[in-house]
């Protein structure tokens, strides 16, 4: 209705048909408002359509439409809409020389504005009544309403001034908080980088020491093998020389006594053969010993290579943890921080009204809660991937942990009108780490809230067998895809893809991965399945005591 002729021509509408086209669009929108049962929206649309009829000079249709708008305003029970619409309709009837209906509606709008402490509608109603009575010559009533008009105008000025002071104070407070947060963030990032660098340096020193030890052991083995080989060669040469000497002596004796002692010659020959056989046996034994020594050395070398390969794989996993941490911190934490900076800039410029401030503050609160949960999961997950991380297992009270987690998530669940109920009437002990189990329950219940629809129900059910405690968390939400079910139920999965919740809530996939790691560390199992009707169920199996 406020578009220029050029704009109307640009979108293919004849300027002469502007009001008729506007009335058609209002009628279409009113059908939608009826369907969603939004009386306040329907009242606003009827007011707009009445204005279009008035601009067409169709005063009868305008009057009927305005009256319907007042009826819908009353059904909507929104005092602001009722007050503003009553004042507009009152002005219309005053312009149409129907003073009784006009004054009645203006009085109604003024009374509603006063009861709801709405200053602007009070100002408009009092000004219209003052002008009307002034035209009629009723100066007492005109003066009375003019004083009310001036009082409302002064109050509006005071409120605007107070709002301006409040905006400036909030801008200053947010600026201070932002600087404190930025400083703390830089300090945390610096500490994290220092710890990662220190861990990497220690790992490199240990690997270098092991490599040096391996080289020393290999050199010692080679020297020992060379010594044994040389010793065997010397022993063989010594035996060969002794044999040659004996043969020469026997030959000399044989030549000397050949004619007189054939029996002795035969005995000498037998002794010679025995000596040769003994030498062959000794040589075989020496060779066999050298072969065994070489085999053992080779076997030890293979073990050392396997150890080096395992250490290399462990170091690569540590680097992957570091890359994952920086990837999540650099990507998923940038959006909430940018939102906070944008919100602070808007506050500095002072361009936000009360409704926009409440809307942006709620959105900012959601972003900060997501960032807090992300940081906590990230630190837990990164810690669980480091060497030397061990859970503190013992008997813990499942009832106490579950009630604490549900209480901490009450604000989030109430925002979506979701009811969380459990069947824990008495304490139940399980063999677990208290902090790990708290993190697991918080993540699973948070996901159940995230993927549930408004006014849904989440059930936390605990059952027991002779040796185990089973914890089932069931929701009535969107359920899980086949691909995600495979990722969750697979023991080899190293990443789980995240998806948006029913209200576009964000996630990183770290929560479920952290749950799987923690449950495995606590000697338990976790599985997921879709419910028969809707939603999904996560089941945790933990031991009652140490096995």
């Amino acid at each position: 209705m406020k578009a220029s002729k050029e704009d109307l021509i640009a979108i293919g509408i004849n300027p002469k048909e502007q009001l008729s086209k506007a009335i058609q669009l209002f009628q279409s929108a009113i059908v939608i408002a009826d369907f969603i049962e939004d009386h306040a929206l329907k009242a606003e649309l009827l007011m707009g359509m009445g204005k279009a009829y008035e601009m067409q000079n169709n005063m009868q249709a305008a009057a009927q439409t305005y009256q319907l708008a007042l009826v819908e305003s009353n059904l909507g029970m929104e005092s602001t809409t009722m007050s503003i619409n009553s004042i507009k309709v009152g002005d219309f009837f005053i312009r149409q020389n129907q003073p009784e209906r006009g004054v009645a509606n203006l009085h109604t709008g003024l009374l509603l504005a006063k009861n709801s402490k709405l200053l602007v509608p009070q100002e408009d109603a009092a000004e219209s009544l003052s002008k009307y009575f002034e035209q009629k010559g009723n100066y007492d009533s005109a003066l009375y309403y003019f004083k009310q008009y001036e009082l409302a105008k002064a109050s509006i000025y005071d409120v605007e001034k107070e709002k301006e002071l409040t905006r400036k104070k909030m801008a200053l407070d947010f600026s201070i908080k932002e600087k404190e947060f930025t400083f703390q963030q830089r300090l945390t990032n610096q500490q994290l980088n220092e710890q990662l660098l220190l861990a990497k340096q220690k790992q490199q020193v240990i690997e270098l020491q092991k490599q040096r030890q391996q080289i020393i052991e290999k050199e010692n083995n080679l020297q020992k093998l060379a010594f044994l080989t040389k010793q065997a060669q010397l022993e063989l040469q010594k035996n060969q020389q002794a044999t040659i000497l004996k043969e020469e002596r026997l030959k000399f004796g044989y030549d000397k006594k050949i004619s007189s002692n054939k029996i002795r010659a035969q005995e000498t020959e037998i002794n010679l053969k025995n000596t040769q056989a003994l030498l062959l046996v000794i040589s075989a034994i020496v060779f066999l010993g050298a072969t065994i020594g070489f085999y053992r050395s080779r076997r030890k070398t293979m073990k050392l290579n396997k150890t080096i390969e395992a250490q290399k794989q462990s170091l690569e996993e540590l680097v992957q943890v570091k890359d994952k941490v920086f990837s999540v911190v650099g990507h998923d934490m940038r959006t909430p921080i940018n939102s906070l900076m944008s919100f602070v800039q808007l506050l500095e410029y002072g361009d936000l009204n009360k409704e926009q401030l409440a809307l942006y503050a709620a959105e900012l609160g959601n972003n900060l809660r997501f960032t807090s949960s992300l940081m906590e999961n990230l630190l837990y997950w990164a810690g669980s991937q480091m060497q030397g991380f061990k859970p503190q297992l013992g008997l813990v009270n499942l009832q106490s942990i579950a009630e604490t987690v549900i209480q901490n998530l009450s604000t989030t669940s109430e925002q979506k009108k979701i009811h969380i109920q459990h069947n824990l009437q008495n304490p139940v002990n399980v063999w677990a780490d208290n902090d790990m189990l708290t993190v697991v329950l918080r993540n699973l219940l948070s996901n159940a809230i995230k993927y549930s629809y408004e006014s849904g129900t989440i059930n936390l059910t605990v059952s027991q067998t002779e040796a185990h405690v089973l914890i089932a968390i069931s929701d009535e939400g969107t359920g899980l895809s086949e691909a995600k079910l495979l990722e969750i139920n697979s023991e080899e999965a190293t990443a789980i893809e995240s998806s948006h919740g029913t209200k576009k809530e964000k996630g990183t996939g770290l929560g479920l991965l952290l749950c799987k790691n923690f449950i495995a560390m606590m000697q338990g199992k976790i599985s997921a399945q879709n419910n028969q009707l809707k939603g999904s169920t996560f089941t945790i199996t933990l031991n009652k005591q140490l096995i």
Side-chain angles (χ1 to χ4, degrees):
M1 290 172 60
K2 296 181 180 180
S4 63
K5 292 183 179 181
E6 291 77 9
D7 293 336
L8 291 172
I9 294 172
I11 60 176
I13 297 176
N14 188 344
K16 295 182 179 179
E17 299 176 355
Q18 177 182 8
L19 295 175
S20 299
K21 187 66 175 178
I23 291 172
Q24 292 177 3
L25 293 175
F26 278 125
Q27 290 173 342
S28 301
I30 288 171
V31 173
I32 298 174
D34 274 333
F35 179 75
I36 64 176
E37 296 182 355
D38 191 335
H39 297 290
L41 175 60
K42 185 177 178 181
E44 290 297 323
L45 294 172
L46 286 169
M47 290 297 295
M49 189 165 68
K51 185 65 177 178
Y53 280 130
E54 187 178 353
M55 294 173 68
Q56 282 185 335
N57 206 25
N58 188 350
M59 299 305 172
Q60 183 178 359
Q64 293 176 353
T65 306
Y66 282 141
Q67 286 297 121
L68 290 175
L70 291 180
V71 172
E72 290 297 326
S73 298
N74 292 331
L75 291 175
M77 298 300 290
E78 291 186 6
S79 57
T80 302
T81 303
M82 293 166 60
S83 174
I84 294 173
N85 290 345
S86 295
I87 294 169
K88 289 181 179 179
V89 173
D91 288 335
F92 168 76
F93 284 122
I94 293 293
R95 292 194 301 272
Q96 298 304 312
N97 293 323
Q98 298 183 38
E100 292 182 359
R101 298 177 69 180
V103 171
N105 281 292
L106 287 173
H107 275 301
T108 301
L110 179 59
L111 180 60
L112 289 171
K114 286 182 177 180
N115 291 337
S116 301
K117 297 181 179 180
L118 302 173
L119 297 176
V120 175
Q122 288 183 46
E123 180 186 19
D124 294 339
E127 184 180 14
S128 296
L129 288 168
S130 177
K131 288 180 179 179
Y132 169 74
F133 284 116
E134 184 180 0
Q135 291 174 358
K136 294 297 181 181
N138 189 345
Y139 296 107
D140 291 338
S141 297
L143 179 60
Y144 171 76
Y145 286 111
F146 182 76
K147 289 180 179 180
Q148 291 194 28
Y149 163 73
E150 289 295 329
L151 182 61
K153 185 175 181 181
S155 299
I156 292 172
Y157 175 77
D158 292 339
V159 170
E160 291 298 326
K161 186 175 182 180
E162 184 177 353
K163 286 183 178 179
E164 181 64 23
L165 292 175
T166 303
R167 283 196 293 268
K168 290 182 178 180
K169 182 179 179 182
M170 290 182 64
L172 180 60
D173 291 341
F174 270 105
S175 176
I176 295 173
K177 293 292 185 182
E178 180 188 18
K179 291 180 180 178
E180 291 178 353
F181 177 79
T182 303
F183 176 76
Q184 188 64 31
Q185 186 69 22
R186 289 177 179 173
L187 183 60
T188 301
N189 290 338
Q190 183 178 0
Q191 292 174 347
L192 181 61
N193 291 332
E194 290 176 354
Q195 291 177 359
L196 291 173
L197 180 60
L198 183 60
K200 184 175 181 181
Q201 290 176 347
K202 289 183 178 179
Q203 187 69 24
Q204 291 176 346
V205 170
I206 293 172
E207 183 178 359
L208 183 60
Q209 291 176 349
K210 289 183 178 180
Q211 290 177 351
R212 289 178 179 175
Q213 185 66 28
Q214 292 168 4
I215 293 172
I216 292 172
E217 291 179 356
K218 288 182 179 180
E219 290 178 351
N220 291 338
N221 290 334
L222 290 174
Q223 291 177 358
K224 185 176 180 180
L225 181 62
F227 174 76
L228 292 175
T229 304
K230 188 66 175 178
Q231 187 178 20
Q233 290 176 352
L234 292 174
E235 187 69 23
L236 182 61
Q237 290 177 358
K238 181 179 179 181
N239 292 334
Q240 288 177 348
Q241 291 176 358
T243 301
I244 293 172
L245 181 60
K246 287 181 179 180
E247 287 179 352
E248 290 179 352
R249 288 179 178 177
L250 288 174
K251 186 176 180 181
F252 176 77
Y254 177 76
D255 291 339
K256 185 176 180 181
K257 299 179 179 180
I258 192 171
S259 57
S260 61
N261 199 354
K262 289 184 179 181
I263 296 175
R264 183 177 294 176
Q266 291 176 355
E267 291 178 353
T268 302
E269 186 177 356
I270 292 171
N271 290 333
L272 179 60
K273 289 181 179 180
N274 290 337
T275 301
Q276 291 177 345
L278 180 61
L279 289 174
L280 290 174
V281 170
I282 292 173
S283 299
I285 291 172
V286 171
F287 179 76
L288 181 61
T291 303
I292 292 172
F294 177 76
Y295 173 75
R296 289 180 177 177
S297 176
R298 180 175 178 80
R299 188 175 179 184
K300 192 171 183 180
T301 300
M302 291 175 66
K303 288 183 179 179
L304 290 174
N305 290 334
K306 289 181 179 179
T307 302
I308 293 172
E309 184 65 26
Q311 292 172 350
K312 179 182 177 183
Q313 184 176 359
S314 176
L315 184 60
E316 290 175 350
E317 291 175 355
L318 185 61
V319 172
Q320 291 177 358
V321 171
K322 182 262 295 180
D323 293 341
K324 181 68 174 178
V325 169
F326 282 118
S327 174
V328 173
V329 170
H331 181 271
D332 293 319
M333 290 189 66
R334 183 178 296 139
T335 299
I337 292 174
N338 288 340
S339 298
L340 178 60
M341 293 177 64
S342 299
F343 184 59
V344 171
Q345 289 177 356
L346 289 174
L347 290 175
E348 288 177 347
Y349 294 140
D351 292 336
L352 295 178
N353 56 35
K354 186 175 182 179
E355 290 77 8
Q356 290 175 326
L357 181 63
L359 178 63
Y360 289 139
E363 180 66 20
L364 182 61
N366 290 333
N367 284 337
L368 291 178
R369 281 191 291 274
F370 164 75
T371 305
S372 177
S373 176
L374 170 64
M375 178 61 73
E376 188 171 357
N377 281 341
L378 191 62
L379 293 176
Y380 272 117
W381 178 78
S384 67
Q385 301 300 303
M386 299 295 182
Q387 293 184 358
F389 181 84
K390 294 182 180 179
Q392 303 296 320
L393 298 178
L395 289 177
V396 297
N397 187 349
L398 176 58
Q399 181 190 21
S400 175
I401 294 175
E403 290 178 347
T404 301
V405 172
I406 292 173
Q407 179 63 30
N408 291 338
L409 293 175
S410 61
T411 301
T412 305
S413 62
E414 288 172 0
Q415 289 178 353
K416 296 180 76 172
K417 301 178 183 178
I418 293 173
H419 178 59
I420 303 176
Q421 57 188 16
H422 64 84
N423 66 340
L424 286 166
Q425 303 299 328
N426 298 309
V428 176
N429 291 328
V430 293
W431 188 259
D433 181 291
N434 187 83
D435 293 336
M436 283 186 176
L437 186 55
T438 299
V439 172
V440 170
L441 291 181
R442 184 175 69 247
N443 274 284
L444 292 181
L445 285 173
S446 295
N447 280 349
I449 295 171
K450 175 181 176 183
Y451 295 108
S452 290
Y453 299 102
E454 284 194 356
S455 304
T457 301
I458 297 173
N459 291 302
L460 190 153
T461 307
V462 177
S463 58
Q464 302 185 53
T465 64
E466 183 177 352
H468 299 93
V469 174
L470 282 74
I471 308 168
I473 298 175
S474 179
D475 61 63
E476 300 172 349
T478 59
L480 299 166
S481 65
E482 292 296 329
K484 184 164 288 188
L485 282 174
L486 289 175
E487 290 178 348
I488 296 171
N489 294 324
S490 173
E491 295 181 357
E492 290 79 15
T494 57
I496 298 177
E497 183 179 357
S498 177
S499 58
H500 287 86
T502 56
K503 281 200 169 183
K504 304 301 180 183
E505 299 97 329
K506 297 178 290 185
T508 62
L510 278 179
L512 284 178
L513 188 61
L514 187 64
C515 290
K516 290 187 64 177
N517 289 345
F518 278 8
I519 292 299
M521 290 181 179
M522 293 187 290
Q523 305 172 6
K525 296 180 180 179
I526 184 171
S527 62
Q529 64 181 17
N530 283 324
N531 299 332
Q532 187 173 3
L533 296 177
K534 59 181 179 179
S536 59
T537 298
F538 283 79
T539 303
I540 303 170
T541 303
L542 294 173
N543 299 321
K544 282 187 174 181
Q545 59 185 3
L546 178 62
I547 298 179

